[in-house]
Amino acid sequence: IVFGYDHLLFVVSLVLLLSGAWTIAKAVTAFTVAHSITLIGTTMGLLGLPQRPVEAVIALSILFLAVEIAKKREGAPRLSERIPWVVAFGFGLLHGFGFAGALQEIGLPESDVPIALLTFNLGVEVGQLAIVLAALGVLHLMRRFAKAAEMPLLKLATYAIGITASFWFIERTFA
């Protein structure tokens, strides 16, 4: 997960968008369950999508969350705030196809595919939750020691995420 930058940006975007550790944890877990389903289905040969369009749409999923964060307003919850686990689950299905492509490059042990998939998915979940805790920690410190900088920094982070996702979309679509 450390080198899955698009995956990390998606998880960080959930942290920036949603309120409450429990809400974030449920959304991230729904994301994991969903990408585990498509990863397993693809690895077992039951599912499959072409990698290039999948990678482009993964970039769009991150851009979608950046827009949701940018348009977030008090008292007017966005779609991703109203049903975060559904949004995370839906995009997680897509991200699972991306994981499958990355996992194919690495390779799985032929004799232990089920155990390898299980440990891979558990490792991803632990990694995601560690990223969530780190991001929540940074937000907490910022709110405690630099309250005046919170909104400008969140806006900067949101636009950086959106620009990065847009670049990835263009690169993955036209490269």
Side-chain angles (χ1 to χ4, degrees):
I1 190 170
V2 174
F3 297 109
Y5 301 116
D6 48 1
H7 193 77
L8 294 175
L9 275 186
F10 188 88
V11 172
V12 168
S13 295
L14 287 175
V15 173
L16 296 179
L17 177 67
L18 302 175
S19 299
W22 183 239
T23 300
I24 294 167
K26 287 191 292 186
V28 168
T29 300
F31 183 59
T32 301
V33 168
H35 68 65
S36 297
I37 290 169
T38 50
L39 174 61
I40 292 166
T42 302
T43 303
M44 304 306 262
L46 304 171
L47 303 170
L49 288 175
Q51 197 64 28
R52 190 168 172 175
V54 164
E55 292 297 330
V57 178
I58 285 172
L60 284 179
S61 74
I62 299 162
L63 182 58
F64 172 81
L65 287 184
V67 170
E68 291 279 275
I69 298 165
K71 292 188 172 197
K72 183 177 178 174
R73 301 289 176 261
E74 193 70 36
R78 307 287 301 166
L79 175 69
S80 298
E81 294 173 283
R82 290 192 310 267
I83 50 171
W85 71 271
V86 174
V87 171
F89 186 89
F91 284 135
L93 292 171
L94 185 66
H95 281 248
F97 287 113
F99 266 137
L103 204 53
Q104 278 181 328
E105 291 176 16
I106 298 168
L108 285 174
E110 299 276 333
S111 60
D112 294 321
V113 171
I115 293 295
L117 286 172
L118 176 65
T119 56
F120 177 81
N121 285 311
L122 289 175
V124 167
E125 178 69 359
V126 168
Q128 288 176 163
L129 292 175
I131 295 298
V132 166
L133 288 174
L136 287 173
V138 168
L139 288 173
H140 174 74
L141 289 173
M142 186 172 48
R143 288 178 182 137
R144 183 157 185 202
F145 297 110
K147 185 68 174 157
E150 179 182 4
M151 291 314 293
L153 288 175
L154 288 178
K155 189 170 279 200
L156 177 66
T158 300
Y159 282 99
I161 290 168
I163 289 166
T164 302
S166 297
F167 172 78
W168 285 339
F169 174 72
I170 292 166
E171 179 183 57
R172 294 170 183 183
T173 301
F174 300 109

